[in-house]
Amino acid sequence: MKDDDTDIERTIMTNTKDEILYDHHHDGVDRRGFLKCMAWAGTGALCVMRGGVLKSYALNRPGDQATAIAKGELSFVQISDSHMGFNKPANPDVAATLKAAVDKINALSTPPEFLLHTGDISHLSKPAEFDNVDQILKATGKETFFVPGEHDVLEADGKQFLERYSKGAKGAGWYSFDKKGVHFVGLVNVMNLKAGGLGTLGHEQLEWLEDDVKHLKSSTPIVVFAHIPLWTVYPQWGWGTEDSAQALAYLKKFG
């Protein structure tokens, strides 16, 4: 494996300083091509709700964006993994990467209602890293909702993250809100993440989720966002949530 692959892997696969979670050298997956995708600059997704159905569009396809927004009832942008503070060869200027994404957001023909940042805002949970991201995202002029990635909770059980982004949230930062008839649920599945293990929600958060959605009509559109997928994408890399079955059972009645 080449050095640039290692650097990209450290960007997305670590939960302590310079500690790689697992050794994937012999997993048979074409990781080089995949990891290079993770280093693309200025990526993000425009999400549009139409008739209760959510669709996503790449930020670099303006024709699709314009058509989608015109036909939708609600639009927002989702970004992730800004990893502010990372400076290895895989991406020596993460600030420029995030600014590129912001430029694409600001170029949308119709501004989105808000932004979702789905974690790994920082690389090492340092105050200056969070500050830099906050300053760059201010240029969008949009409210931003956050959930943490494992890199955001390295220090003091995520105290920095919780103080900045989780005021009024429950537990380790989970919460919900409503926009134009759509119910949004932000979940946290990166606390106590162990090397080689999957994400977890925990009993307290699962009970909260059950209570949060049980009063909603089954026709209510719901958007659930978290740093680690709720379904098992690739367990060898820890990309899954071990207790997600119960969460998904609570959401089963919704489209």
Side-chain angles (χ1 to χ4, degrees), residues 43-197:
T43 57
L46 169 69
C47 301
V48 179
M49 185 72 71
R50 182 185 180 192
V53 178
L54 188 70
K55 293 189 176 181
S56 63
Y57 302 83
L59 282 178
N60 60 354
R61 299 183 66 177
D64 291 347
Q65 297 162 7
T67 301
I69 293 174
K71 294 181 177 180
E73 299 103 25
L74 171 69
S75 67
F76 60 93
V77 167
Q78 181 261 334
I79 60 175
S80 191
D81 294 84
S82 46
H83 276 282
M84 194 61 58
F86 181 82
N87 59 2
K88 300 296 191 298
N91 189 343
D93 193 350
V94 290
T97 297
L98 183 57
K99 289 175 182 176
V102 166
D103 288 344
K104 291 178 181 179
I105 293 167
N106 288 338
L108 290 170
S109 57
T110 301
E113 297 277 336
F114 57 89
L115 310 181
L116 295 182
H117 192 307
T118 50
D120 282 349
I121 304 162
S122 67
H123 193 60
L124 295 174
S125 304
K126 301 301 183 186
E129 296 171 357
F130 291 121
D131 287 343
N132 286 344
V133 172
D134 290 346
Q135 287 302 312
I136 292 170
L137 292 182
K138 273 186 180 180
T140 67
K142 295 298 176 183
E143 182 178 17
T144 305
F145 297 90
F146 298 87
V147 288
E150 65 269 26
H151 285 256
D152 301 320
V153 296
L154 295 176
E155 304 290 339
D157 294 325
K159 182 179 179 181
Q160 279 283 331
F161 177 91
L162 291 170
E163 289 179 350
R164 286 172 178 263
Y165 307 114
S166 298
K167 291 181 173 63
K170 306 294 183 182
W174 53 84
Y175 62 99
S176 64
F177 62 93
D178 296 283
K179 294 282 187 181
K180 292 187 174 181
V182 181
H183 190 66
F184 289 80
V185 181
L187 298 179
V188 178
N189 51 8
V190 297
M191 303 303 292
N192 305 310
L193 195 61
K194 297 177 176 60

